[in-house]
Amino acid sequence: GQNIDQPTEMTATEGAIVQINCTYQTSGFNGLFWYQQHAGEAPTFLSYNVLDGLEEKGRFSSFLSRSKGYSYLLLKELQMKDSASYLCAVRGLNTDKLIFGTGTRLQVFP
Amino acid sequence: SQTIHQWPATLVQPVGSPLSLECTVEGTSNPNLYWYRQAAGRGLQLLFYSVGIGQISSEVPQNLSASRPQDRQFILSSKKLLLSDSGFYLCAYSPGGTQYFGPGTRLLVL
């Protein structure tokens, strides 16, 4: 079967660092995506990993370990506007279809 | 630049009424197109995807249907809405790999 697990909710303080984990079990793997979704809005693309290692993009970084079926999204210097849901999604082989986790709702407090 | 449009933004419909949601993409040719539904507090569920005009794959059995009459137009329809059809409907396109989402249509069936 195919399964993607993320924590349901997390809280953090403005200015801090937070790591959102994602574990996956899929029949094939061809990339992992992170999306940000503010309440009532559509998801927006944050990052893509297909090889092991860390991809850094400004305050956001994403890490992948294919052997462990594990990824994390690291958010640095948290801002209030980072309060949102973060969706982990995996792409299978020979397809553009994505399987989404249920998302992690992050609340940033002052 | 590439953009994706969806309308209407919100819709309130009685049970048993028909439905037509439209999605159009600009700035790219022959994209893969997707319809997702997101129920309140839940993850994204892929409903349909299309790799070309007239080519539709259904992911889950339901009373919804999809059509792609033109390369950059994707339509989601129903002949008779159910209460369980309420949710946030998102169209996405993939010019090659990453999926990008439209603004969504919030549907409430009463």
Side-chain angles (χ1 to χ4, degrees):
Chain A
Q2 306 191 89
N3 193 46
I4 298 177
D5 287 316
Q6 305 178 235
T8 304
E9 288 193 8
M10 297 182 71
T11 60
T13 306
E14 197 175 13
I17 300 173
V18 71
Q19 178 176 311
I20 303 174
N21 296 324
C22 171
T23 58
Y24 62 90
Q25 296 163 334
T26 56
S27 55
F29 179 84
N30 189 24
L32 187 142
F33 297 78
W34 284 96
Y35 287 82
Q36 180 190 59
Q37 186 177 24
H38 284 102
E41 299 181 9
T44 56
F45 169 70
L46 286 179
S47 68
Y48 167 65
N49 295 70
V50 67
L51 300 176
D52 290 351
L54 189 68
E55 294 282 342
E56 297 187 76
K57 194 183 291 186
R59 292 189 300 115
F60 293 5
S61 303
S62 56
F63 171 83
L64 175 67
S65 169
R66 289 172 295 170
S67 62
K68 295 182 179 177
Y70 168 69
S71 172
Y72 67 73
L73 181 68
L74 192 71
L75 292 75
K76 302 176 185 176
E77 301 169 15
L78 280 172
Q79 302 175 9
M80 298 297 291
K81 67 178 182 180
D82 297 329
S83 293
S85 288
Y86 291 86
L87 312 179
C88 172
V90 172
R91 182 172 62 195
L93 293 173
N94 301 316
T95 180
D96 271 355
K97 292 192 291 182
L98 298 179
I99 301 167
F100 281 85
T102 53
T104 299
R105 185 177 169 223
L106 173 67
Q107 289 184 283
V108 180
F109 293 99
Chain B
S1 63
Q2 299 172 2
T3 56
I4 178 170
H5 305 278
Q6 284 186 249
W7 63 90
T10 58
L11 193 58
V12 180
Q13 292 285 97
V15 169
S17 65
L19 174 74
S20 180
L21 303 181
E22 189 161 343
C23 170
T24 59
V25 180
E26 296 176 0
T28 185
S29 296
N30 198 32
N32 289 346
L33 296 172
Y34 308 84
W35 277 112
Y36 290 88
R37 177 171 58 207
Q38 187 175 39
R42 301 185 67 179
L44 288 169
Q45 180 187 34
L46 180 62
L47 302 175
F48 300 95
Y49 76 97
S50 171
V51 298
I53 295 174
Q55 300 179 62
I56 310 294
S57 295
S58 175
E59 292 296 298
V60 292
Q62 59 209 317
N63 71 320
L64 299 171
S65 62
S67 62
R68 185 171 177 173
Q70 300 179 45
D71 180 45
R72 288 170 285 183
Q73 184 185 31
F74 205 22
I75 297 172
L76 183 69
S77 304
S78 175
K79 293 182 179 177
K80 287 186 178 182
L81 283 168
L82 307 173
L83 286 174
S84 57
D85 290 325
S86 293
F88 191 35
Y89 287 83
L90 290 155
C91 180
Y93 77 100
S94 172
T98 302
Q99 290 187 24
Y100 299 95
F101 288 86
T105 295
R106 196 162 300 280
L107 173 65
L108 180 60
V109 182
L110 299 175

